[in-house]
Amino acid sequence: MDLEGRYPSLSFTWPRPGVLEITLRGGKLNALGPEAHRDLARIWRDLGELEDVKAVLLRGEGGVFSAGGSFALIEEMRSSHQTLMRVFWEARELVLGPMDFPRPVVAAVEGVAVGAGLALALASDVVVVGKKARLLDGHLRLGVAAGDHAVLLWPLLVGMAKAKYHLLLNEPLTGEEAERLGLVALAVEDEKVYEKALEVATRLAEGPKEALSLTKHALNNWFRTFVPHFEVSLALEFLGFQGEALEEGLRALKEKRKPQF
């Protein structure tokens, strides 16, 4: 399968036997434009057909994971109901795709992971972050509900009290803090992130394929139990993309100031 041709916003390499490395690339801080958002939602079913893929390693280009959805993506959603609904389903698959993919997924989070970028990382099976990396949900600062991955993953990973604190106050976390709270698996020195993530992905690729797949599937049933909550939160988030608060959130981000809601 020609992955480069089907998914032009991503790059693909094989750093170790059985390990497919997918690199996010493109806009500033690897922000997910319309094409990248679509590619990351659709790719998981295709990967499931590739028997040579025993583990997937996700990373961002240039020492940064992803700053989340781009202004271009949001503007398209604001201008077209059809686009809004398409991106709604893409956002659902961007989170559930890595979880339902039958092989292990490892995320190497360097620099920043915000919004949709953080959602993609946390939907992975093993998340390796730099101790000084900056993790932020970001939805409330934008003026929309903390939907997509937040309601599904955060309460189970860090508990409801911490989830509410960080999501409602839009409080960022360093990689070191994220590991302490249980949001991610490992926090390492920033220059060691890729090395450690590749080591983990290689060990997983060398493991018993069927047993790993079945264990992942069974563990992720904890998350699947809460998919109805996830879908409601996603719908509430997307309602906000047609609201007035979003306009101020976008202006504040572009002007690099605190929003005045």
Side-chain angles (χ1 to χ4, degrees):
M1 184 182 297
D2 179 15
L3 291 174
E4 295 276 2
R6 285 180 67 87
Y7 303 102
S9 70
L10 309 171
S11 65
F12 303 89
T13 58
W14 295 86
R16 297 286 188 276
V19 178
L20 176 63
E21 182 177 308
I22 302 176
T23 303
L24 286 60
R25 60 184 185 181
K28 184 178 180 182
L29 300 178
N30 300 321
L32 305 181
E35 187 176 55
H37 196 272
R38 182 169 54 250
D39 287 351
L40 287 165
R42 295 178 177 177
I43 192 171
W44 302 101
R45 292 183 184 179
D46 279 350
L47 293 182
E49 301 298 319
L50 300 180
E51 291 298 323
D52 290 343
V53 179
K54 297 181 179 179
V56 169
L57 175 59
L58 291 173
R59 68 181 308 202
E61 189 175 59
V64 174
F65 194 75
S66 174
S70 69
F71 290 134
L73 179 63
I74 295 173
E75 287 165 4
E76 278 197 26
M77 293 161 60
R78 294 274 283 174
S79 64
S80 165
H81 177 74
Q82 183 179 8
T83 300
L84 183 75
M85 292 308 299
R86 189 201 79 226
V87 177
F88 170 86
W89 291 109
E90 287 176 2
R92 183 183 186 277
E93 292 307 309
L94 190 142
V95 173
L96 298 184
M99 290 173 51
D100 290 337
F101 177 65
R103 265 86 80 192
V105 180
V106 179
V109 178
E110 302 170 289
V112 299
V114 179
L118 180 60
L120 179 66
L122 295 185
S124 302
D125 300 303
V126 179
V127 188
V128 182
V129 303
K131 289 184 177 180
K132 296 179 181 178
R134 187 172 185 266
L135 281 58
L136 177 68
D137 177 69
H139 285 88
L140 270 291
R141 182 181 179 186
L142 192 59
V144 298
D148 60 55
H149 78 295
V151 168
L152 177 64
L153 301 180
W154 283 62
L156 284 172
L157 294 174
V158 304
M160 186 62 76
K162 289 296 186 181
K164 285 183 176 180
Y165 177 77
H166 287 281
L167 297 174
L168 296 179
L169 290 174
N170 201 48
E171 186 74 14
L173 284 162
T174 65
E176 195 166 22
E177 290 169 331
E179 182 194 40
R180 178 176 56 81
L181 291 177
L183 190 66
V184 303
L186 296 172
V188 300
E189 299 301 329
D190 294 77
E191 67 276 9
K192 300 286 188 181
V193 172
Y194 176 73
E195 177 185 336
K196 185 62 178 180
L198 180 57
E199 175 195 323
V200 171
T202 301
R203 288 176 59 193
L204 289 168
E206 293 170 348
K209 184 176 179 180
E210 183 177 73
L212 282 166
S213 178
L214 294 175
T215 302
K216 170 177 174 171
H217 181 84
L219 286 170
N220 280 348
N221 279 333
W222 284 93
F223 296 125
R224 292 187 188 94
T225 302
F226 296 96
V227 165
H229 301 319
F230 163 59
E231 291 180 334
V232 168
S233 74
L234 191 61
L236 294 173
E237 174 192 344
F238 274 65
L239 279 175
F241 281 110
Q242 298 179 328
E244 294 180 1
L246 178 67
E247 296 178 7
E248 169 57 14
L250 285 173
R251 281 195 299 268
L253 281 175
K254 291 176 180 178
E255 295 168 9
K256 298 181 179 180
R257 60 172 173 83
K258 184 179 178 180
Q260 302 295 320
F261 294 122

